[in-house]
Amino acid sequence: MRSLSRRALLRGGALGVAAVAVAGCAAEEPEPLRAEPPDPETVLLRQLIAGKEQTVALYASTASAKLAPFGKRHEAHLAELRRRLPPDATPAPASPGAPSPSPSGSPGAKASVRSLQRLEQRAAALRPRQLDGVSPALAQLIASIGACEAAHAVALSRLL
């Protein structure tokens, strides 16, 4: 059997201590924080709010007394949607799948009755697809908003 010199034994021990120290340091490092995925209802609320804000702005751009009641109803929808948004969540832009309320694609464009009617039709058609997986209370609100938008589309067609 081969005997180890004192120097070899100390060198091996030092390497072992260093390896343990490095391993201990690595284990003590905190794991990187992972952001929780956003709540699907909050994401949907943000999209709905962004769309309603654009719709309210379009109705306001018309400055028509005949269209003012439509805009007021959208303002009421917007207020209720904002009320349901959690306090720590902020509204975000509408998703690519949401209908674009701007008839010409440019913000600040003045809306025509026909473009508002089409906007209301597209929005009302989108609402049933937004009901899947949401709470009953939010589903009821979205369905009510969709029914109002469908009624707007019919009423606006009579103004054409």
Side-chain angles (χ1 to χ4, degrees), residues 24-118:
C25 288
E28 291 179 20
E29 289 183 27
E31 289 188 31
L33 295 177
R34 293 187 184 126
E36 287 188 34
D39 174 49
E41 281 196 14
T42 301
V43 171
L44 178 58
L45 280 167
R46 286 177 177 159
Q47 293 170 357
L48 291 166
I49 288 168
K52 282 294 172 185
E53 287 172 342
Q54 292 174 345
T55 301
V56 166
L58 284 173
Y59 273 100
S61 76
T62 65
S64 167
K66 286 183 179 180
L67 299 178
F70 297 94
K72 294 287 184 203
R73 287 194 230 15
H74 285 290
E75 289 171 9
H77 298 160
L78 181 57
E80 185 58 27
L81 290 166
R82 284 181 176 152
R83 188 182 74 73
R84 291 172 186 258
L85 194 64
D88 60 338
T90 56
S95 72
S100 172
S102 179
S104 65
S106 63
K110 191 169 181 176
S112 68
V113 173
R114 180 160 310 283
S115 65
L116 289 169
Q117 184 218 15
R118 288 184 187 136

